[in-house]
Amino acid sequence: MLHQALIEKRPWLLASLAAGIGFWLLKDTGLPGVYQIMLKGAGVALLAIYAFNRHKGHDANTIAAVMGCGALGDVLIEFKLELGAVAFLVGHLIAIRLYWQHRRPNPTGSQRVAALALLVLTPLISFLLGGPMVALYALGLGGMAATAWLSTFSRYRLGLGAVMFVISDLLIFARMSLLADSPLPGLLIWPLYYFGQFLICIGVVGELRRRQHLPPASA
């Protein structure tokens, strides 16, 4: 039933899942590099299209732009790490503004502590793993995760997705130093990143639809 619903009502979401999972399965095969890059970029680009089509409004367009920046970063990072980082950072800044506009009026003490930890520890750990330039990027990453956690969107979707994004990036930085010889980053970076973006997108879009008294999105 879920598969049928995805095909009929959310084809862009289904296509995104196919591209995201397909890239993870094929990235270490003999598939030519240009096709791998296209498949990689398609996963999150299709999430942007899903957001744009699933809900009409400024906030949905904003999260679509965040996904678009992510897709651009996915492609650019294959050519030059710094270019990809700039695209992702722009997406983080756009997301921070969106989540802050939807911040909880009275977050609990534990929510505040968790957000502060994400804001402070993300750039601190990034500095230890990759140095000052990496930490500078991670300020935006941590800010994105912190504001996501304090927003009125679901922490089980948006909040968890943002944390998965943070862990994925920290594994990238660790692969430069601490885990340079470990196979773990190669196994975990993409699924944590892609499904993090997936949860971020459906977390925002689903909540926007719910607030308009439409049937809640099951995806």
Side-chain angles (χ1 to χ4, degrees):
M1 292 295 292
L2 176 60
H3 182 264
Q4 188 67 22
L6 283 172
I7 293 175
E8 293 179 355
K9 297 182 179 180
R10 302 166 183 82
W12 296 114
L13 200 61
L14 179 62
S16 170
L17 283 167
I21 296 171
F23 170 73
W24 187 61
L25 294 175
L26 297 173
K27 66 184 180 69
D28 295 321
T29 66
L31 185 69
V34 63
Y35 296 111
Q36 287 202 30
I37 293 173
M38 291 171 61
L39 192 60
K40 182 183 183 185
V44 178
L46 288 163
L47 289 177
I49 298 173
Y50 163 78
F52 184 78
N53 284 276
R54 186 65 175 154
H55 181 81
K56 302 302 180 184
H58 179 267
D59 291 337
N61 292 343
T62 300
I63 201 63
V66 172
M67 295 296 114
C69 289
L72 181 61
D74 289 335
V75 173
L76 291 178
I77 203 170
E78 295 296 322
F79 299 96
K80 191 173 179 63
L81 180 64
E82 292 81 2
L83 290 177
V86 169
F88 282 119
L89 181 57
V90 171
H92 295 330
L93 296 177
I94 296 172
I96 287 170
R97 184 173 184 271
L98 172 64
Y99 305 154
W100 189 248
Q101 289 175 335
H102 292 271
R103 62 190 180 275
R104 292 177 182 272
N106 296 297
T108 65
S110 61
Q111 291 166 359
R112 293 175 185 271
V113 169
L116 182 62
L118 288 167
L119 181 63
V120 174
L121 292 181
T122 301
L124 177 59
I125 295 172
S126 299
F127 175 78
L128 296 174
L129 292 172
M133 294 306 296
V134 170
L136 183 62
Y137 160 80
L139 282 172
L141 175 65
M144 179 276 294
T147 52
W149 199 258
L150 289 176
S151 76
T152 54
F153 298 111
S154 170
R155 286 193 304 280
Y156 296 105
R157 289 186 176 184
L158 174 61
L160 177 60
V163 171
M164 290 169 67
F165 198 138
V166 168
I167 295 172
S168 174
D169 272 3
L170 291 179
L171 283 172
I172 291 176
F173 307 149
R175 188 169 58 180
M176 300 174 183
S177 54
L178 188 64
L179 298 179
D181 299 320
S182 172
L184 194 63
L187 292 173
L188 296 181
I189 287 171
W190 179 257
L192 281 169
Y193 163 75
Y194 170 74
F195 285 107
Q197 291 278 52
F198 182 90
L199 288 173
I200 288 170
C201 185
I202 66 172
V204 172
V205 173
E207 178 63 16
L208 291 174
R209 285 174 57 80
R210 188 190 69 80
R211 290 175 187 177
Q212 279 199 338
H213 308 290
L214 294 175
S218 60

